[in-house]
Amino acid sequence: MLPILLLCFLLPSSHAADFCVADLMGSLTPSGYQCKVESAVTTDDFVFTGLGVVGNTSNIIKAAVTPAFAAQFPGVNGLGISAARLDLAAGGVIPLHTHPAASELLVVTKGIIVAGFISSANTVYYMTLHKGETMVFPQGLLHFQVNGGGTPAVAIVSFSSPSPGLQITSFALFANNLPSALVEKVTFLDDAEVKKLKKVLGGTG
Ligand SMILES: *[C@@H]1O[C@H](CO)[C@@H](O)[C@H](O)[C@H]1NC(C)=O
């Protein structure tokens, strides 16, 4: 009898936490989301169906990013991984951007994509990629993807963080209220170009 009683006490605490499914009621912190209580975790937390859905490319960049980060895919929280789908219509571009928290692995699944990154030494590494071809973008570095053909292109990307972050350079410069005079100073661009880009991207000042 005693050994069975002992087992009952020991079993619940004898397994380590296998996962930390995001509790999306809480907020995202640098160390991720808090864990959902295990009794509330379901298979759905570990499944994301959005990467099979064509993104809406009717926008200024003629492209769409469908993230499967912890915020959309709670099961990846705490696991050091996530994914996304890129759709690039003909003429589409994912503008120069960085993921501060993750390296990225891109696999072209349809069409042709010109992809590249710029190192801290300002060396450019870029390549025209076809279906099945893969490129990696090291953590934090500026990179881009451009449709290299006349037909829609698709890529599946994976990240070395459940919350890679995303900062698009042109939006950081021209889609906010940083005064034009300062933007001109920090970029060496002329006033006309800065005002034009602010207008296109929704910036003020
Ligand atoms: C795609 O996005 C555009 C612009 O937001 C919108 O007008 C259009 O209805 C969307 N199309 C679909 C199929 O959701």
Side-chain angles (χ1 to χ4, degrees):
M1 202 61 194
L2 193 60
I4 290 170
L5 263 179
L6 261 179
L7 260 183
C8 292
F9 280 110
L10 286 176
L11 273 180
S13 57
S14 66
H15 76 286
D18 295 320
F19 44 73
C20 175
V21 170
D23 177 0
L24 297 179
M25 305 300 259
S27 51
L28 180 59
T29 74
S31 51
Y33 290 92
Q34 289 206 324
C35 311
K36 204 165 156 179
V37 291
E38 201 169 324
S39 57
V41 170
T42 68
T43 304
D44 284 348
D45 290 316
F46 300 106
V47 175
F48 184 82
T49 56
L51 299 189
V53 180
V54 180
N56 185 342
T57 56
S58 301
N59 53 49
I60 186 173
I61 59 173
K62 297 183 181 158
V65 179
T66 306
F69 301 166
Q72 298 82 25
F73 188 11
V76 298
N77 187 58
L79 299 185
I81 55 171
S82 63
R85 171 186 173 124
L86 310 183
D87 284 275
L88 295 151
V93 53
I94 310 290
L96 197 65
H97 65 281
T98 170
H99 307 286
S103 294
E104 173 178 344
L105 184 80
L106 174 146
V107 184
V108 178
T109 59
K110 182 179 171 183
I112 300 168
I113 294 177
V114 180
F117 70 88
I118 303 161
S119 74
S120 296
N122 295 318
T123 305
V124 184
Y125 301 88
Y126 75 100
M127 184 69 78
T128 299
L129 303 168
H130 300 84
K131 185 176 171 177
E133 294 176 340
T134 299
M135 186 167 181
V136 69
F137 310 98
Q139 180 167 347
L141 299 183
L142 289 165
H143 59 284
F144 59 85
Q145 289 97 13
V146 176
N147 190 322
T151 58
V154 178
I156 300 296
V157 293
S158 57
F159 296 95
S160 61
S161 165
S163 300
L166 168 64
Q167 186 170 40
I168 299 175
T169 309
S170 293
F171 288 71
L173 287 170
F174 308 114
N176 54 33
N177 61 357
L178 185 61
S180 293
L182 270 175
V183 177
E184 289 153 27
K185 275 235 182 325
V186 299
T187 60
F188 305 103
L189 291 170
D190 66 40
D191 187 60
E193 188 68 12
V194 168
K195 295 248 162 72
K196 188 189 96 181
L197 287 164
K198 273 186 175 280
K199 196 162 174 210
V200 171
L201 297 177
T204 58

